[in-house]
Amino acid sequence: MSPSFLGRTAGFTLLIRCCQGFNYHQSRSLVNVKLKWVKDPILDTVVSREKDLKAVSSLISIISCAQKSCLPIYCLSRCRGQLGLPQDLKLSTLIRRYPNIFREFYALDSGGTRVPWFELTPKALRLHEEGLGILENCHMDFLNRLRRLLMLTRDLTLPLQTIDQLKWDLGLPYNYEESVIRKNLDIFSLIRLPDDRVGVKLLLWDENLAMSELQKNAVLQGKNSDKELKNGIISFPIGFPRGFGLKRKCMEWLEEWQRLPYTSPYSDGSHLDPRTDESEKRIVGVFHELLHLTVGKKTERKNVSNLRRPLSLPQKFTKVLERHPGIFYISKKSDTQTVILREAYDRHNLVHKHPLVEFRDKLASMMREGFLDRSKGLYKKEKRSGTDVLEEIGTSRTVSGDESGSEDLLSDYDSEETCPEPC
């Protein structure tokens, strides 16, 4: 057995002993320092290049799960709340942006009105099958990400609604409740919360998972001495964008803050005074670990707003994101605030890219291709060549391209009746 391996093993053992928190005299109050927010165009690109990606991916999952792999616009509209679309964007407008992914046709409803239906193109179907293979191969990885998320909470419990908001970032399948939770009832339990919502409770604590990424990297990279590790002193990787001017007072505070003890986010932090820098370092550690649990090392700020009570965090806990711009970057692209973990990116590329992220990059590339082809009029030219009428099975079914004026005619169609099935 090599000395380096023994050294790493000893380091891990030392960190495990420190996971339960540190007996540290909290003599310093929270220092009133505010670092300015500076726009980072490179990390803004990370957010802007994924415009519509989550919504399109969700629509692909919804349509593929339908009984005959196609749905009318009014059925898809009922899922709008899951897509995170701006209020002023029509769902049909989004779908028609990507005609190489969604194939549109029309069918008569019970009242004789022509209704737009959507199915996946053969190319989109093949890509979707590839994505399902990745989810299957990485099943244990995503299972552990969910377990670690629940281990961060006080009662090992989260509302299903909160997990729904994070499922895209965690890489969980669209139907994770069935494919992950209900298939592992020896690990998870669905419970009724006091507010009558459905919650997910972790039944088994796994000590092997209760070590943060910061602790692991501190041992593997050897940047902290054994004495520092023994005292629980672990510093966060810091990086500022070009042009970020840090005042001397702020630099001194940051250096001193980095030397404070680090309390594992998987341990009980109730002994820490919330008015101190020591408590703030733990909160930063919780966010740091939470972002590491995501496949893209980022999430929307609003997604963590409901985590205050489960994570036992003080009021206005997200303010630490603004106080530490060298650790987190808040992008304001795409009409939202997205929190990005700086250390995870080399310019606009992830340092360690998860297979699911590589798949999403393929989908994003396909979306850009379809959007550009549509803007060049390629799909309109295909439409002008004629209208293809397919074999009728009880209803008429007509394939159409992105016909000019068709969106205004039928995009607002809505109905409460049972969805017809022309597919």
Side-chain angles (χ1 to χ4, degrees):
M1 191 174 294
S2 67
S4 61
F5 176 81
L6 290 173
R8 287 197 301 270
T9 304
F12 277 120
T13 303
L14 182 60
L15 282 176
I16 290 173
R17 292 174 181 172
C18 297
C19 278
Q20 301 303 316
F22 303 96
N23 294 321
Y24 181 80
H25 182 59
Q26 302 170 52
S27 58
R28 295 185 57 224
S29 60
L30 190 64
V31 177
N32 187 21
V33 172
K34 184 177 182 180
L35 278 66
K36 64 179 179 178
W37 177 85
V38 175
K39 187 176 182 179
D40 190 331
I42 294 177
L43 289 182
D44 280 339
T45 304
V46 173
V47 177
S48 60
R49 70 184 178 185
E50 294 186 358
K51 181 182 179 181
D52 297 341
L53 180 60
K54 177 182 176 181
V56 168
S57 179
S58 298
L59 284 169
I60 290 174
S61 296
I62 292 169
I63 293 174
S64 65
C65 290
Q67 186 174 0
K68 295 188 178 181
S69 300
C70 60
L71 285 171
I73 185 62
Y74 52 83
C75 284
L76 291 172
S77 295
R78 294 168 191 165
C79 304
R80 182 187 176 92
Q82 307 172 32
L83 307 179
L85 299 179
Q87 291 296 324
D88 58 348
L89 178 62
K90 293 181 180 179
L91 180 57
S92 56
T93 300
L94 170 73
I95 296 175
R96 288 175 178 138
R97 283 177 182 170
Y98 310 106
N100 62 337
I101 296 177
F102 303 105
R103 184 167 174 259
E104 182 177 359
F105 62 93
Y106 295 94
L108 299 181
D109 67 1
S110 58
T113 303
R114 293 174 73 242
V115 182
W117 285 63
F118 296 95
E119 62 185 359
L120 302 180
T121 64
K123 187 176 180 181
L125 278 170
R126 289 193 296 271
L127 189 62
H128 177 61
E129 291 296 326
E130 180 182 337
L132 292 178
I134 293 173
L135 291 176
E136 183 177 352
N137 293 336
C138 300
H139 174 78
M140 187 54 66
D141 173 51
F142 299 132
L143 178 69
N144 287 338
R145 287 174 191 267
L146 179 56
R147 294 170 70 187
R148 290 169 69 184
L149 174 66
L150 292 170
M151 287 170 64
L152 288 175
T153 66
R154 176 182 54 203
D155 301 320
L156 308 182
T157 303
L158 277 176
L160 202 60
Q161 179 183 359
T162 302
I163 300 176
D164 282 344
Q165 295 170 347
L166 290 166
K167 69 179 179 182
W168 167 262
D169 298 315
L170 294 173
L172 297 175
Y174 182 79
N175 62 340
Y176 76 95
E177 183 179 346
E178 295 295 330
S179 61
V180 177
I181 296 176
R182 293 188 184 276
K183 287 189 176 181
N184 294 277
L185 293 179
D186 57 326
I187 300 176
F188 307 107
S189 175
L190 290 170
I191 62 173
R192 184 66 63 178
L193 300 175
D195 59 7
D196 210 34
R197 289 186 294 173
V198 177
V200 180
K201 184 176 181 64
L202 181 67
L203 300 178
L204 300 172
W205 177 277
D206 190 338
E207 198 64 40
N208 294 323
L209 298 177
M211 180 176 288
S212 70
E213 291 297 317
L214 191 66
Q215 291 172 317
K216 294 176 186 176
N217 292 334
V219 172
L220 294 175
Q221 297 176 8
K223 292 183 179 180
N224 295 81
S225 65
D226 290 342
K227 182 178 180 180
E228 288 177 326
L229 291 176
K230 185 176 181 180
N231 292 328
I233 300 174
I234 305 177
S235 58
F236 291 91
I238 299 288
F240 293 101
R242 182 177 298 179
F244 191 96
L246 199 61
K247 295 181 179 180
R248 187 177 190 86
K249 175 184 176 182
C250 296
M251 289 181 62
E252 293 174 350
W253 165 77
L254 186 58
E255 290 173 358
E256 189 173 352
W257 182 87
Q258 287 275 46
R259 291 193 293 269
L260 294 174
Y262 168 82
T263 304
S264 170
Y266 295 103
S267 66
D268 182 10
S270 60
H271 63 288
L272 296 172
D273 186 336
R275 298 165 296 180
T276 61
D277 277 352
E278 291 81 11
S279 176
E280 180 179 272
K281 187 166 185 177
R282 181 181 186 275
I283 297 173
V284 170
V286 171
F287 277 120
H288 185 272
E289 183 69 4
L290 181 62
L291 290 174
H292 262 294
L293 292 181
T294 65
V295 294
K297 311 309 175 191
K298 64 185 188 322
T299 190
E300 290 187 33
R301 186 172 183 169
K302 63 182 181 181
N303 289 344
V304 297
S305 298
N306 296 327
L307 289 174
R308 187 183 73 83
R309 288 177 183 251
L311 296 179
S312 301
L313 298 177
Q315 294 282 354
K316 299 181 180 180
F317 65 103
T318 60
K319 288 292 184 181
V320 301
L321 300 173
E322 301 166 8
R323 277 170 56 89
H324 295 276
I327 302 174
F328 311 108
Y329 175 65
I330 303 176
S331 174
K332 299 178 181 179
K333 287 289 184 179
S334 300
D335 300 320
T336 187
Q337 292 190 19
T338 303
V339 185
I340 303 173
L341 188 62
R342 282 192 180 276
E343 70 188 70
Y345 283 85
D346 178 10
R347 294 183 63 79
H348 58 266
N349 294 316
L350 278 166
V351 176
H352 303 291
K353 188 172 286 190
H354 192 279
L356 184 60
V357 175
E358 294 180 345
F359 164 77
R360 289 176 177 176
D361 286 346
K362 288 184 181 180
L363 176 58
S365 177
M366 185 177 176
M367 289 167 59
R368 287 191 293 270
E369 177 186 340
F371 184 81
L372 289 174
D373 286 348
R374 175 182 180 272
S375 65
K376 294 175 183 177
L378 298 183
Y379 287 91
K380 289 182 180 180
K381 290 178 182 178
E382 179 182 337
K383 173 61 185 174
R384 284 198 295 269
S385 65
T387 300
D388 299 324
V389 180
L390 303 186
E391 181 181 0
E392 295 184 1
I393 309 178
T395 63
S396 64
R397 170 171 171 160
T398 307
V399 178
S400 77
D402 189 47
E403 184 179 12
S404 177
S406 64
E407 185 170 325
D408 291 335
L409 178 65
L410 290 167
S411 61
D412 290 328
Y413 186 96
D414 194 12
S415 173
E416 294 300 324
E417 62 182 299
T418 303
C419 299
E421 297 183 357
C423 300

